[in-house]
Amino acid sequence: MAKNTGELRIHESVDELRTDLADYVAELSEASVKERGVFAIALSGGSLIGLMGKLCEAPYNKTVDWSKWYIFWADERVVAKNHADSNYKLAKDGLLSKVPIIPSHVHSINDSVSAEEAADDYEFVIRQLVKTRVVSVSEISDCPKFDLILLGLGSDGHVASLFPNHSALNEREEWVTFITDSPKPPPERITFTLPVINSASNVAVVVTGESKAESVHLAIDDVGPDGPLIPARMVQPAMGKLVWFLDKLAASKLEDSNLNK
């Protein structure tokens, strides 16, 4: 099967990227609310939340219909919600507390149980919301179809908490799985599985900086059958659209054939 490299949006500066990302999210939110009455979005951690910051500013803080947003996490660290490592805390401090999102629409993990229980619990929550169509369902599987899943990219090529050569990459039945041996701390995490990521209507991978350039190259360029199959390369939405938001530095190792598309 030919690899879907997706759409590449390469920006001269991080500031330009932040503006384009805010435009993109706001447009998807508007289209989704028009079509379904809601917008189901899954966030990740890392630099992503800071790069979404323009959504808290004019005009987006007034033009986006925040009351229709339902928020999820594509991955989360199994720590208390007020812990410095919590993706929930990062999003709350950097985004959610600055816009009028309805608190009951924010679906964070149960932080008082084990990683395995937290993953099961989170999947159950999503299953209930698929039943009521707050989250859509895929046309080609029973997977949830999120309106947008936002991902970062690790310098090792990981997305969400799907790390290179980890057994979690092979999970096909579960929607949410757990790991207890993350190569970077904290070790215990929950994560969406590849089938869920690849069932989304829209997936955006947001990457900045030179330290990620090699991973971007391995994820997007044709590295041949012997090249390393990093998790980011496995992000291949079946029916949805894939968009890469890159700054110049993150795109610096891409082959010309991809730059000139």
Side-chain angles (χ1 to χ4, degrees), residues 140-157:
I140 53 174
S141 69
D142 79 328
C143 275
K145 185 170 104 174
F146 287 91
D147 298 310
L148 172 62
I149 297 180
L150 286 159
L151 301 170
L153 175 70
S155 50
D156 61 352

Side-chain angles (χ1 to χ4, degrees), residues 43-45 72-79 87-88 107-111 113-126 158-163 168 175-182 186-193 197:
L43 308 173
S44 304
F72 302 84
W73 276 264
D75 75 310
E76 178 58 287
R77 289 84 177 271
V78 184
V79 295
N87 287 344
Y88 166 80
H107 293 282
S108 53
I109 71 164
N110 181 345
D111 61 357
V113 295
S114 71
E116 184 172 10
E117 288 171 298
D120 288 347
D121 183 80
Y122 206 51
E123 179 165 329
F124 179 78
V125 167
I126 295 169
H158 83 266
V159 287
S161 282
L162 297 168
F163 290 93
W175 293 357
V176 183
T177 192
F178 70 99
I179 64 171
T180 55
D181 55 357
S182 164
E188 300 207 334
R189 297 159 178 239
I190 67 127
T191 182
F192 282 4
T193 56
I197 291 171

